[in-house]
Amino acid sequence: MTNPTEDDLKVIAEQVWSSYLDLDGASPLVPLPADKHQADVTASVSVTGAWRGHVLVSCSDAASRNVAAALLGIDFDDVAEEDVADALGELANIIGGNVKSLLPEPSALSLPHVHVEGTQGRYPHVTEVCHLEGTWMDESVTVTVLESTTDLAGAMA
């Protein structure tokens, strides 16, 4: 079974950013490590079925507010906490759906979960398949694909 690759994630991220977030044509996701990685906010979706795992989108608080402003068409200063949760959850859902399309069928995508202050310990029994570190509007963004390492009878994250 073939897992998604970092090249796959790069293509997906470029398509998502150009379609949904790069509305003025001037701020694409640059797939380079940020000077200082921040994972203040993480949105995730889980994939179940023939392949099991998670797709995570982690970013700084400022990047999450920029995502909300771009997706919802509102001013950065008007972004509320629930806007961040809605927008980052939708971003994880869009990216997760694209990753899912590369995986064996049948598979299903969960509703997104958004949590603040990183993901330490949130996903036990997984191995990292691939990740993409990027910078968008001078803020760090990371997209990570984790595959479950437990069998169906094992504990799921």
Side-chain angles (χ1 to χ4, degrees):
M1 177 177 320
T2 304
N3 282 324
T5 66
E6 288 185 18
D7 286 340
D8 293 330
L9 275 187
K10 183 178 177 188
V11 168
I12 290 168
E14 287 172 355
Q15 289 173 345
V16 169
W17 253 257
S18 66
S19 297
Y20 295 94
L21 299 174
D22 185 18
L23 304 178
D24 61 4
S27 55
L29 178 68
V30 179
L32 297 171
D35 289 337
K36 56 183 195 283
H37 176 72
Q38 284 182 268
D40 298 325
V41 184
T42 298
S44 64
V45 290
S46 298
V47 180
T48 56
W51 188 94
R52 294 176 303 110
H54 313 278
V55 178
L56 286 66
V57 178
S58 302
C59 59
S60 66
D61 181 61
S64 70
R65 292 170 57 82
N66 284 324
V67 167
L71 272 179
L72 302 174
I74 59 178
D75 240 17
F76 180 88
D77 292 334
D78 293 335
V79 172
E81 200 172 309
E82 57 270 12
D83 297 329
V84 167
D86 289 347
L88 208 59
E90 182 60 20
L91 185 61
N93 195 46
I94 294 165
I95 292 172
N98 279 279
V99 169
K100 179 184 151 305
S101 74
L102 302 173
L103 299 171
E105 291 294 335
S107 344
L109 201 62
S110 74
L111 292 173
H113 300 280
V114 180
H115 25 107
V116 179
E117 302 302 324
T119 60
Q120 295 297 63
R122 172 103 169 92
Y123 299 94
H125 311 293
V126 296
T127 185
E128 183 176 292
V129 173
C130 57
H131 79 274
L132 171 68
E133 288 184 44
T135 301
W136 180 56
M137 300 179 76
D138 297 322
E139 294 291 332
S140 66
V141 176
T142 303
V143 180
T144 308
V145 177
L146 304 172
E147 184 175 16
S148 176
T149 57
T150 59
D151 61 24
L152 288 176
M156 288 297 292

